[in-house]
Amino acid sequence: ADLRWAGQHLAPWIKRRLTGRSSGDTVVAKRPTLGPIVD
């Protein structure tokens, strides 16, 4: 169970830290253009 956890969670985290990337780098904004706030 520990090896599976390390492979699924720890290894990707280490890779992101070594490459200087964030887990949110590939996330696209929900609303990429600005617009008025309507209540």
Side-chain angles (χ1 to χ4, degrees), residues 9-26:
H9 301 286
L10 186 60
W13 182 85
I14 291 172
K15 181 181 175 186
R16 285 193 308 269
R17 294 300 167 258
L18 291 175
T19 59
R21 301 204 55 183
S22 172
S23 58
D25 283 351
T26 59

Side-chain angles (χ1 to χ4, degrees), residues 21-35:
R21 301 204 55 183
S22 172
S23 58
D25 283 351
T26 59
V27 176
V28 179
K30 184 175 182 179
R31 294 185 178 92
T33 58
L34 295 176

